[in-house]
Protein backbone atom coordinates (compact mmCIF):
# COMPACT_ATOMS: atom_id res chain seq x y z
CA UNK A 1 0.00 0.00 0.00
CA UNK A 2 1.36 3.42 -0.91
CA UNK A 3 2.16 6.08 1.68
CA UNK A 4 -0.52 8.31 0.18
CA UNK A 5 -3.20 5.75 1.01
CA UNK A 6 -1.82 5.02 4.48
CA UNK A 7 -1.90 8.66 5.59
CA UNK A 8 -3.27 11.92 4.27
CA UNK A 9 -0.81 14.69 3.46
CA UNK A 10 0.77 16.19 6.56
CA UNK A 11 2.74 14.89 9.52
CA UNK A 12 2.62 12.88 12.68
CA UNK A 13 3.33 15.07 15.72
CA UNK A 14 5.24 13.08 18.33
CA UNK A 15 5.52 14.14 21.95
CA UNK A 16 8.33 12.24 23.63
CA UNK A 17 10.16 11.84 20.32
CA UNK A 18 13.65 12.19 21.81
CA UNK A 19 13.21 9.12 24.01
CA UNK A 20 14.26 5.68 22.85
CA UNK A 21 10.76 4.51 22.05
CA UNK A 22 9.61 7.86 20.65
CA UNK A 23 12.57 8.08 18.28
CA UNK A 24 11.95 4.54 17.02
CA UNK A 25 8.31 5.43 16.36
CA UNK A 26 9.38 8.51 14.42
CA UNK A 27 11.64 6.41 12.22
CA UNK A 28 8.86 3.90 11.51
CA UNK A 29 6.48 6.67 10.41
CA UNK A 30 9.18 8.09 8.15
CA UNK A 31 9.87 4.65 6.65
CA UNK A 32 6.26 4.33 5.48
CA UNK A 33 6.19 7.82 4.02
CA UNK A 34 4.94 10.22 6.68
CA UNK A 35 6.56 13.52 7.54
CA UNK A 36 7.33 14.01 11.24
CA UNK A 37 6.98 16.93 13.65
CA UNK A 38 9.28 16.37 16.64
CA UNK A 39 8.25 17.90 19.96
CA UNK A 40 11.10 18.17 22.43
CA UNK A 41 11.79 19.85 25.79
CA UNK A 42 15.44 19.53 26.83
CA UNK A 43 17.26 17.15 24.45
CA UNK A 44 17.97 19.54 21.60
CA UNK A 45 20.88 17.60 20.13
CA UNK A 46 18.90 14.36 20.17
CA UNK A 47 15.99 16.13 18.45
CA UNK A 48 18.28 17.54 15.75
CA UNK A 49 19.92 14.16 15.18
CA UNK A 50 16.54 12.47 14.81
CA UNK A 51 15.40 15.13 12.36
CA UNK A 52 18.53 14.49 10.33
CA UNK A 53 17.78 10.77 10.18
CA UNK A 54 14.24 11.40 9.00
CA UNK A 55 15.33 13.87 6.34
CA UNK A 56 17.90 11.33 5.14
CA UNK A 57 14.94 9.02 4.48
CA UNK A 58 13.49 11.66 2.18
CA UNK A 59 10.85 12.93 4.59
CA UNK A 60 10.32 16.38 6.09
CA UNK A 61 11.11 16.80 9.80
CA UNK A 62 10.46 19.85 11.96
CA UNK A 63 11.42 20.66 15.54
CA UNK A 64 9.06 22.13 18.12
CA UNK A 65 10.35 22.94 21.60
CA UNK A 66 7.70 22.52 24.26
CA UNK A 67 7.22 21.96 27.98
CA UNK A 68 3.98 19.95 27.99
CA UNK A 69 3.06 21.25 31.45
CA UNK A 70 2.78 24.77 29.99
CA UNK A 71 -0.61 24.89 28.28
CA UNK A 72 0.17 27.99 26.23
CA UNK A 73 3.50 26.56 25.03
CA UNK A 74 1.79 23.29 24.19
CA UNK A 75 -0.84 25.02 22.06
CA UNK A 76 1.84 27.11 20.35
CA UNK A 77 3.88 24.00 19.48
CA UNK A 78 0.82 22.37 17.93
CA UNK A 79 0.03 25.52 15.95
CA UNK A 80 3.63 25.63 14.72
CA UNK A 81 3.50 22.00 13.60
CA UNK A 82 0.26 22.58 11.72
CA UNK A 83 1.71 25.69 10.06
CA UNK A 84 4.89 23.84 9.07
CA UNK A 85 3.16 20.79 7.59
CA UNK A 86 -0.27 22.06 6.60
CA UNK A 87 -1.88 19.26 8.58
CA UNK A 88 -1.16 17.00 11.53
CA UNK A 89 -2.84 13.68 10.72
CA UNK A 90 -1.74 11.97 13.94
CA UNK A 91 -0.92 13.01 17.48
CA UNK A 92 1.37 10.44 19.10
CA UNK A 93 1.56 10.93 22.86
CA UNK A 94 4.63 9.39 24.44
CA UNK A 95 5.70 12.17 26.81
CA UNK A 96 6.47 11.16 30.36
CA UNK A 97 9.04 11.84 33.06
CA UNK A 98 11.56 9.31 34.36
CA UNK A 99 9.73 8.22 37.50
CA UNK A 100 10.89 6.55 40.69
CA UNK A 101 10.00 2.93 41.32
CA UNK A 102 8.30 3.15 44.71
CA UNK A 103 5.18 1.72 46.39
CA UNK A 104 2.12 3.97 46.20
CA UNK A 105 2.24 4.64 49.94
CA UNK A 106 5.83 5.89 49.65
CA UNK A 107 5.09 8.16 46.70
CA UNK A 108 5.50 11.81 47.58
CA UNK A 109 2.95 14.48 46.70
CA UNK A 110 5.56 16.16 44.52
CA UNK A 111 6.28 12.96 42.57
CA UNK A 112 2.56 12.32 42.09
CA UNK A 113 1.84 15.89 41.02
CA UNK A 114 4.68 15.87 38.49
CA UNK A 115 3.54 12.60 36.92
CA UNK A 116 -0.06 13.80 36.62
CA UNK A 117 0.94 17.22 35.27
CA UNK A 118 3.08 15.77 32.49
CA UNK A 119 1.14 12.69 31.47
CA UNK A 120 -2.49 13.48 32.20
CA UNK A 121 -2.81 17.25 32.04
CA UNK A 122 -0.31 17.34 29.18
CA UNK A 123 -2.16 14.75 27.12
CA UNK A 124 -5.58 16.28 27.87
CA UNK A 125 -4.48 19.74 26.76
CA UNK A 126 -2.64 18.44 23.68
CA UNK A 127 -5.62 16.36 22.60
CA UNK A 128 -8.06 19.25 22.99
CA UNK A 129 -5.85 21.52 20.93
CA UNK A 130 -5.19 19.03 18.13
CA UNK A 131 -8.82 17.90 17.91
CA UNK A 132 -9.87 21.43 17.04
CA UNK A 133 -7.45 21.30 14.08
CA UNK A 134 -8.46 17.74 13.10
CA UNK A 135 -12.14 18.63 12.97
CA UNK A 136 -11.38 21.35 10.44
CA UNK A 137 -8.97 19.12 8.50
CA UNK A 138 -11.49 16.32 8.08
CA UNK A 139 -10.32 13.88 10.73
CA UNK A 140 -7.22 12.42 12.29
CA UNK A 141 -5.88 9.99 14.82
CA UNK A 142 -4.74 10.05 18.44
CA UNK A 143 -2.32 7.32 19.50
CA UNK A 144 -1.45 7.12 23.20
CA UNK A 145 1.42 5.13 24.68
CA UNK A 146 -0.02 3.52 27.77
CA UNK A 147 1.29 0.81 30.06
CA UNK A 148 0.87 -2.96 30.11
CA UNK A 149 0.48 -2.41 33.84
CA UNK A 150 -3.14 -1.71 32.94
CA UNK A 151 -3.47 -5.48 32.45
CA UNK A 152 -1.68 -6.63 35.61
CA UNK A 153 -0.38 -4.28 38.28
CA UNK A 154 3.45 -4.13 38.41
CA UNK A 155 4.67 -3.48 41.94
CA UNK A 156 6.30 -0.05 42.52
CA UNK A 157 5.44 1.28 39.06
CA UNK A 158 2.41 3.32 40.09
CA UNK A 159 3.87 6.66 39.03
CA UNK A 160 3.90 5.39 35.47
CA UNK A 161 0.83 3.13 35.41
CA UNK A 162 -1.74 5.24 37.25
CA UNK A 163 -1.44 8.43 35.15
CA UNK A 164 -1.53 6.39 31.95
CA UNK A 165 -4.65 4.61 33.20
CA UNK A 166 -6.36 7.98 33.45
CA UNK A 167 -5.44 8.62 29.84
CA UNK A 168 -6.97 5.27 28.85
CA UNK A 169 -10.32 6.66 29.98
CA UNK A 170 -9.69 9.86 28.01
CA UNK A 171 -8.88 7.83 24.90
CA UNK A 172 -12.27 6.12 25.10
CA UNK A 173 -13.97 9.46 25.69
CA UNK A 174 -12.30 11.13 22.73
CA UNK A 175 -13.04 8.10 20.54
CA UNK A 176 -16.70 8.18 21.48
CA UNK A 177 -17.21 11.94 21.21
CA UNK A 178 -15.07 12.70 18.16
CA UNK A 179 -15.83 9.75 15.89
CA UNK A 180 -18.52 11.77 14.15
CA UNK A 181 -15.73 14.14 13.03
CA UNK A 182 -13.62 11.32 11.59
CA UNK A 183 -11.23 11.38 14.55
CA UNK A 184 -10.05 8.06 15.99
CA UNK A 185 -8.31 7.45 19.32
CA UNK A 186 -6.45 4.31 20.38
CA UNK A 187 -3.84 3.23 22.88
CA UNK A 188 -0.78 0.98 22.87
CA UNK A 189 -0.13 -0.78 26.18
CA UNK A 190 3.65 -0.82 26.28
CA UNK A 191 5.48 -3.67 27.99
CA UNK A 192 9.14 -3.89 28.96
CA UNK A 193 10.98 -2.43 25.99
CA UNK A 194 14.77 -2.32 25.62
CA UNK A 195 14.84 1.47 25.34
CA UNK A 196 14.06 4.62 27.26
CA UNK A 197 13.10 4.40 30.92
CA UNK A 198 13.80 0.68 31.21
CA UNK A 199 17.42 1.05 30.10
CA UNK A 200 17.97 4.15 32.25
CA UNK A 201 16.61 2.52 35.39
CA UNK A 202 18.56 -0.64 34.62
CA UNK A 203 21.75 1.43 34.56
CA UNK A 204 20.82 2.77 37.98
CA UNK A 205 20.51 -0.78 39.31
CA UNK A 206 16.75 -0.58 39.86
CA UNK A 207 16.08 -3.75 37.87
CA UNK A 208 18.25 -6.68 38.98
CA UNK A 209 18.34 -10.38 38.07
CA UNK A 210 15.65 -11.25 40.62
CA UNK A 211 13.35 -8.63 39.08
CA UNK A 212 14.04 -10.02 35.60
CA UNK A 213 13.19 -13.57 36.67
CA UNK A 214 9.96 -12.43 38.28
CA UNK A 215 8.83 -10.41 35.26
CA UNK A 216 9.68 -13.23 32.85
CA UNK A 217 7.23 -15.43 34.78
CA UNK A 218 4.47 -13.11 33.57
CA UNK A 219 5.57 -13.02 29.92
CA UNK A 220 4.36 -15.48 27.31
CA UNK A 221 7.29 -14.45 25.10
CA UNK A 222 10.45 -14.75 27.17
CA UNK A 223 12.23 -11.66 25.93
CA UNK A 224 12.08 -7.91 26.17
CA UNK A 225 10.41 -5.96 23.40
CA UNK A 226 12.20 -3.76 20.87
CA UNK A 227 11.27 -0.10 20.38
CA UNK A 228 10.50 -0.54 16.68
CA UNK A 229 7.81 -3.06 17.66
CA UNK A 230 5.96 -0.21 19.36
CA UNK A 231 6.50 1.79 16.17
CA UNK A 232 4.87 -0.91 14.06
CA UNK A 233 1.75 -0.83 16.23
CA UNK A 234 1.65 2.97 16.24
CA UNK A 235 1.89 3.16 12.45
CA UNK A 236 -0.92 0.62 12.09
CA UNK A 237 -3.27 2.41 14.50
CA UNK A 238 -2.62 5.77 12.84
CA UNK A 239 -2.99 4.48 9.28
CA UNK A 240 -5.92 3.81 6.98
CA UNK A 241 -5.43 0.09 7.69
CA UNK A 242 -7.04 0.79 11.06
CA UNK A 243 -9.70 3.11 9.67
CA UNK A 244 -12.49 1.25 11.51
CA UNK A 245 -10.58 0.90 14.79
CA UNK A 246 -11.20 3.38 17.61
CA UNK A 247 -11.41 3.40 21.38
CA UNK A 248 -9.20 0.31 21.57
CA UNK A 249 -6.09 -0.92 23.33
CA UNK A 250 -3.43 -3.10 21.75
CA UNK A 251 -0.88 -4.58 24.12
CA UNK A 252 2.66 -4.84 22.76
CA UNK A 253 3.97 -6.57 25.84
CA UNK A 254 5.01 -10.12 25.04
CA UNK A 255 1.82 -11.56 26.49
CA UNK A 256 2.16 -9.84 29.86
CA UNK A 257 -1.04 -10.35 31.82
CA UNK A 258 -2.21 -13.35 29.78
Amino acid sequence: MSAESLFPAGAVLIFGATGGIGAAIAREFAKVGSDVAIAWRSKEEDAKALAGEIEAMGRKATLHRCDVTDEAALAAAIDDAVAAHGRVHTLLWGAGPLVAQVPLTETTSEQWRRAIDVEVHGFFNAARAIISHMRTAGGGSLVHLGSAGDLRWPDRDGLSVAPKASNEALIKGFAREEGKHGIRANSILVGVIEAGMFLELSKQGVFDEAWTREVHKNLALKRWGQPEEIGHAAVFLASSKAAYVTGQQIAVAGGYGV
Side-chain angles (χ1 to χ4, degrees), residues 7-169:
F7 304 104
V12 54
L13 171 57
I14 302 178
F15 287 92
T18 57
I21 294 176
I25 291 172
R27 296 184 192 102
E28 293 304 319
F29 271 96
K31 285 178 184 177
V32 296
S34 175
D35 293 338
V36 182
I38 299 166
W40 64 281
R41 182 180 67 85
S42 59
K43 299 179 180 179
E44 183 175 10
E45 292 306 313
D46 290 343
K48 289 180 177 178
L50 178 60
E53 288 184 55
I54 292 168
E55 289 172 347
M57 297 179 191
R59 306 310 310 176
K60 179 179 179 179
T62 57
L63 303 177
H64 309 275
R65 187 174 187 179
C66 177
D67 181 343
V68 300
T69 64
D70 182 333
E71 187 174 350
L74 187 59
I78 290 172
D79 287 344
D80 288 346
V82 171
H85 294 274
R87 178 177 182 177
V88 170
H89 59 68
T90 299
L91 170 71
L92 189 294
W93 186 263
L98 182 68
V99 296
Q101 300 288 293
V102 294
L104 289 172
T105 54
E106 296 176 20
T107 300
T108 68
S109 296
E110 291 75 18
Q111 289 172 325
W112 178 253
R113 189 173 297 110
R114 174 64 176 167
I116 294 295
D117 280 347
V118 173
E119 298 219 41
V120 182
H121 296 160
F123 173 65
F124 178 69
N125 289 325
R128 286 194 305 166
I130 202 68
I131 283 171
S132 178
H133 159 67
M134 288 179 173
R135 285 177 176 175
T136 301
S141 175
L142 308 179
V143 180
H144 168 255
L145 299 190
S147 171
D150 202 50
L151 303 173
R152 184 181 188 279
W153 186 265
D155 293 342
R156 301 188 303 153
D157 200 25
L159 281 169
S160 177
V161 177
K164 290 179 172 63
S166 178
N167 287 351
E168 296 302 332

